[in-house]
Amino acid sequence: MTVIASAAARRRVPLAAGVCLFSFTAFWLAQRAADVSMIDLMVYRAEGATVRAGGDLYALRTTEAHLPTTYPPFAALLFTPLTLLDTADMRTLATLGNLLLLVGFAHLSLRLVHGERHTRVAGALWVASLAVWCEPVWTTLRYGQINLLLGVLVLWDLSRRPGHRWAGVGIGVAAAIKLTPALFAAFLLLTGAAEAVRHGPWRPTVRHACGAAVSFAGATLLAAAVLPYDSWRFWTRMVFEADRVGFAENTANQSLRGVLARCLHTGEPGACWALAAAVAGALGLGAAVAAALRGQRAWAALSCAATALLVSPVSWSHHWVWCVPMALLLGVEAARGGGRARWAVAGAASLVFCSYALWWVPHGQGRPELVQNYGQMTLSALYVVTAFVFLLVAVTRSRTSRTV
């Protein structure tokens, strides 16, 4: 029986690899036909060139859209090798790299959801072949973004066994590149505190959070040593200027702030957003910690991811690559527990991220998002609504599950 199962597994991998290769090839051709700009990749290259030239990183305006530098200085250091490539080669290698990262992201998502023993290469290839067509992943590759890299770093960290010697490094480095993943360290620290209150094993979780903090500090101090002026400007000024990234009401901004800006027909929702983000952050982290205390590692990690996307001032649609493990987890839960409600939630979540519905509304020049009607506001809030539904399911599941 073992020999038969092994032979069947060997047949599944080539089939999955063939389907994945076909899907990726079709995706590549579709992106070429769409003449994608990979505009964010061009910004990254300009940042690397500015670092090499000793220029003012946060005075940079590049591409036809005059886009600024928005990431911490450590990210710019990582972008310097891009200046060694010509534009065509850089775009090709970036696309190939992102596709490989997608397979890794799918593998780590399966490991988080199923556990390391049940992770298979064939499964990761099947998930990647489908996930490449969802809007967040499509847009990530369209712009040449780094979302999959950040997702791999965080999931690599969270899917490892507690107390691992490298625990926290992935989260810390990801937060040094882009600040949003820092919420995962806060989640770990809160989980450790809650474990201590109930006299549980709090040390591995707190050590995990401390590892993330040390890694973040090390990367940030390295950037400060190499780029002292840019580091000073970023941490004393630029980090507080959310509007540098773009208009809050932009339909691509799938955060609470973006939804409120569109619903209130204002470019800056102000105190209304601050209050909503505080409440959502508290509830979301509460759901994540509650899931972690019950040993529901996947629900805990992805509840934290959903919370980070909700409370961030700007969560562009391509930041939502976390929809891949979210939809996967909802699908696995539906397959395990059955029931029409579970399948409906899993199917609806997958449909939201594969429908590209947020782009069906008026957007672009003239800021038409400020005058959206109710139907358009609904379409451009689907990611946020889905995140809240996911958190509601996580809370419901925690209440009906036994503590581990």
Side-chain angles (χ1 to χ4, degrees):
M1 292 297 293
T2 303
V3 174
I4 294 174
S6 178
R10 286 196 296 270
R11 287 195 297 270
R12 286 196 295 267
V13 172
L15 175 61
V19 172
C20 188
L21 181 60
F22 176 80
S23 180
F24 282 4
T25 302
F27 174 87
W28 190 303
L29 294 174
Q31 291 245 315
R32 288 295 182 90
D35 192 24
V36 296
S37 64
M38 302 191 79
I39 190 170
D40 288 342
L41 181 64
M42 303 306 295
V43 174
Y44 301 157
R45 190 175 193 271
E47 291 179 24
T50 301
V51 169
R52 292 188 62 185
D56 187 339
L57 190 60
Y58 294 100
L60 175 68
R61 293 292 187 277
T62 187
T63 72
E64 294 180 357
H66 301 288
L67 296 177
T69 301
T70 58
Y71 295 169
F74 179 69
L77 288 181
L78 299 183
F79 297 148
T80 53
L82 296 177
T83 61
L84 304 177
L85 303 169
D86 63 41
T87 301
D89 289 342
M90 179 184 67
R91 289 178 173 178
T92 299
L93 290 175
T95 302
L96 287 173
N98 262 329
L99 290 173
L100 290 174
L101 284 169
L102 177 59
V103 176
F105 191 57
H107 170 76
L108 291 170
S109 298
L110 286 169
R111 188 162 76 176
L112 181 71
V113 172
H114 281 297
E116 192 168 354
R117 293 182 179 180
H118 300 284
T119 304
R120 298 289 185 269
V121 173
L125 292 170
W126 280 111
V127 171
S129 66
L130 296 173
V132 73
W133 296 100
C134 71
E135 190 275 335
V137 175
W138 168 279
T139 310
T140 287
L141 274 84
R142 173 190 174 189
Y143 292 149
Q145 262 282 344
I146 59 170
N147 305 301
L148 290 168
L149 172 62
L150 299 178
V152 165
L153 286 171
V154 172
L155 279 187
W156 174 82
D157 213 333
L158 293 178
S159 61
R160 302 178 77 80
R161 70 177 187 274
H164 191 274
R165 68 171 67 180
W166 296 106
V169 172
I171 292 172
V173 172
I177 297 172
K178 190 172 184 178
L179 293 178
T180 309
L183 193 67
F184 287 97
F187 150 69
L188 291 169
L189 193 60
L190 289 172
T191 302
E195 286 281 16
V197 169
R198 70 172 197 169
H199 305 291
W202 59 271
R203 287 184 177 84
T205 307
V206 172
R207 192 181 304 120
H208 197 165
C210 291
V214 169
S215 300
F216 171 79
T220 301
L221 290 174
L222 173 63
V226 179
L227 302 169
Y229 175 70
D230 292 320
S231 295
W232 173 259
R233 286 195 70 196
F234 179 81
W235 294 108
T236 60
R237 178 182 171 187
M238 302 304 170
V239 70
F240 304 108
E241 297 183 358
D243 290 337
R244 281 171 52 83
V245 182
F247 295 125
E249 77 276 3
N250 192 313
T251 191
N253 184 11
Q254 292 295 301
S255 70
L256 265 177
R257 181 168 173 256
V259 169
L260 287 172
R262 293 188 289 272
C263 289
L264 299 175
H265 307 295
T266 176
E268 182 47 67
C272 183
W273 165 70
L275 177 61
V279 172
L283 294 177
L285 284 175
V289 170
L293 294 178
R294 287 168 172 77
Q296 300 165 2
R297 187 166 60 166
W299 284 102
L302 297 179
S303 293
C304 183
T307 303
L309 290 165
L310 287 172
V311 303
S312 175
V314 176
S315 293
W316 299 128
S317 68
H318 52 76
H319 295 165
W320 287 77
V321 292
W322 289 95
C323 71
V324 175
M326 286 179 186
L328 184 62
L329 179 57
L330 290 171
V332 168
E333 288 295 311
R336 287 173 177 170
R340 293 182 180 179
R342 288 191 178 93
W343 282 113
V345 170
S350 300
L351 180 62
V352 163
F353 293 109
C354 292
S355 66
Y356 296 69
L358 76 161
W359 298 113
W360 299 354
V361 305
H363 60 277
Q365 298 297 323
R367 305 178 72 177
E369 292 94 338
L370 290 176
V371 292
Q372 286 183 350
N373 59 38
Y374 290 116
Q376 292 165 346
M377 285 188 287
T378 299
L379 288 176
S380 61
L382 285 176
Y383 287 13
V384 169
V385 171
T386 302
F388 275 118
V389 171
F390 183 89
L391 291 174
L392 178 61
V393 173
V395 170
T396 302
R397 193 181 187 282
S398 292
R399 288 183 174 179
T400 57
S401 300
R402 294 182 179 179
T403 303
V404 175

